Amino acid sequence: MSEFLQQLLNGISMGAIYALIALGYTMVYGVLRFINFAHSDVFMVGSFVAFYVAPRLGSGSIAGGMSILCVAMAASALLGVVIEKLAYKPLRGRSTLTVLITAIGVSLLLQNVGQKLFGADPKAFPPIFPARTFHFGTVVVNSTQLVTLATTLVLLVALHLVVHHTRVGTAMRAVSFNATASSLVGIDNNRIISFTFALGSALAGAGGVLYALNYPSIDPLMGTLPGLKAFVAAVLGGIGNLAGAALGGLVIGLVETFVSGTRLSTYRDAIAFGILIAILLFRPAGLLGKARVEKV
């Protein structure tokens, strides 16, 4: 029983990180109806920003760790807006395939620029929060897991409040529902789209920092696999559905963790993508998504 509880805790902690990244995917899809595959590399940039500012802001304390996290989120948000303005905005009205290819190109660009600027060798990520270990019977909880869960919960609540209880959140939902009608009633679609990219990218930056805390080694290609799994989580929960993205992230994190404790541990990545195939075959709309009828 204790081993089950330990794996459950580890799975929820990992799933919380996937949920943060998946929310960025699903927010952009909800507004623009395309997958921003550069999102996983914004995740990588967030971890590197935290790595480089940590010595200057004083890692090892709660205040210092939160400052580092906020700087990483702000830098990631700025990068998301720059990507949207330079790469995606000129392609408004173009085919989905054109935008998709561009997103893959931006992803490769960020990876190669990252290797040039940061170097290709992995770097040890510093413990930016105080390191503590707590024992509840035979279940071991470390402070990194607590920080991960608390930060994710706060960000999810904040995101819910922004989307459902603010004017900009109402505008985001209006643009998602019908961009043409929203512009006719005075909503600045360009501003809302930029805000969506900033918000989603900030969550990815937070996810990058939390991932680096749990797996303290970063490199310019670190975002590829977590990004793909977060995309699977977004599809699993229902792409375009915020609650679905969070649920999908938790499911993928739990499945991956429990599989890692079995003889099938070497197949945990394959099982995650097998879930994607299964959901596309049997429930394409996802767990919480709703099937849409499109006119041809």
Side-chain angles (χ1 to χ4, degrees):
M1 184 63 180
S2 61
E3 182 178 352
F4 171 80
L5 292 176
Q6 186 70 64
Q7 292 289 70
L8 180 65
L9 174 64
N10 296 339
I12 292 175
S13 179
M14 190 70 252
I17 298 172
Y18 289 148
L20 288 178
I21 312 171
L23 284 167
Y25 279 116
T26 206
M27 287 172 65
V28 171
Y29 181 86
V31 173
L32 293 176
R33 295 294 185 270
F34 81 90
I35 303 299
N36 177 24
F37 280 113
H39 190 67
S40 59
D41 299 292
V42 176
F43 161 92
M44 173 270 294
V45 170
S47 65
F48 270 98
V49 169
F51 174 82
Y52 283 109
V53 302
R56 294 171 176 79
L57 296 180
S59 61
S61 65
I62 295 178
M66 292 306 299
S67 299
I68 294 167
L69 180 64
C70 290
V71 170
M73 291 177 66
S76 299
L78 178 61
L79 177 60
V81 173
V82 170
I83 291 173
E84 189 274 327
K85 293 293 186 183
L86 298 182
Y88 299 141
K89 186 177 179 180
L91 298 178
R92 301 268 177 84
R94 302 287 185 89
S95 68
T96 303
L97 181 60
T98 301
V99 182
L100 179 62
I101 294 173
T102 301
I104 295 173
V106 173
S107 175
L108 294 173
L109 175 65
L110 290 175
Q111 290 178 10
N112 285 276
V113 170
Q115 290 182 355
K116 183 68 175 178
L117 293 178
F118 310 134
D121 297 333
K123 293 176 172 56
F125 194 81
I128 62 175
F129 288 97
R132 299 285 188 275
T133 301
F134 307 94
H135 295 268
F136 299 93
T138 55
V139 178
V140 179
V141 183
N142 60 56
S143 56
T144 298
Q145 291 173 319
L146 294 178
V147 168
T148 299
L149 294 175
T151 302
T152 301
L153 182 61
V154 169
L155 291 176
L156 289 178
V157 172
L159 178 64
H160 175 79
L161 293 176
V162 168
V163 172
H164 294 283
H165 298 282
T166 65
R167 293 185 63 183
V168 69
T170 302
M172 286 173 60
R173 288 182 282 126
V175 173
S176 174
F177 183 75
N178 191 317
T180 303
S182 65
S183 64
L184 292 175
V185 297
I187 294 175
D188 186 345
N189 287 0
N190 290 328
R191 184 175 65 86
I192 296 303
I193 290 171
S194 294
F195 179 80
T196 302
F197 268 86
L199 194 57
S201 298
L203 294 176
V209 176
L210 296 177
Y211 186 88
L213 283 173
N214 285 272
Y215 301 93
S217 177
I218 61 175
D219 64 84
L221 303 180
M222 64 175 287
T224 303
L225 195 55
L228 288 174
K229 290 180 180 177
F231 170 65
V232 172
V235 175
L236 173 63
I239 191 74
N241 186 301
L242 296 180
L247 175 62
L250 289 176
V251 170
I252 293 297
L254 287 169
V255 169
E256 180 179 309
T257 301
F258 279 107
V259 169
S260 297
T262 69
R263 290 180 295 178
L264 299 175
S265 59
T266 54
Y267 300 100
R268 65 178 191 176
D269 295 335
I271 290 174
F273 295 112
I275 293 175
L276 173 63
I277 295 173
I279 202 71
L280 291 176
L281 287 175
F282 300 107
R283 190 175 173 80
L287 296 177
L288 300 183
K290 296 180 180 180
R292 297 185 178 183
V293 178
E294 296 186 0
K295 295 181 180 180
V296 180

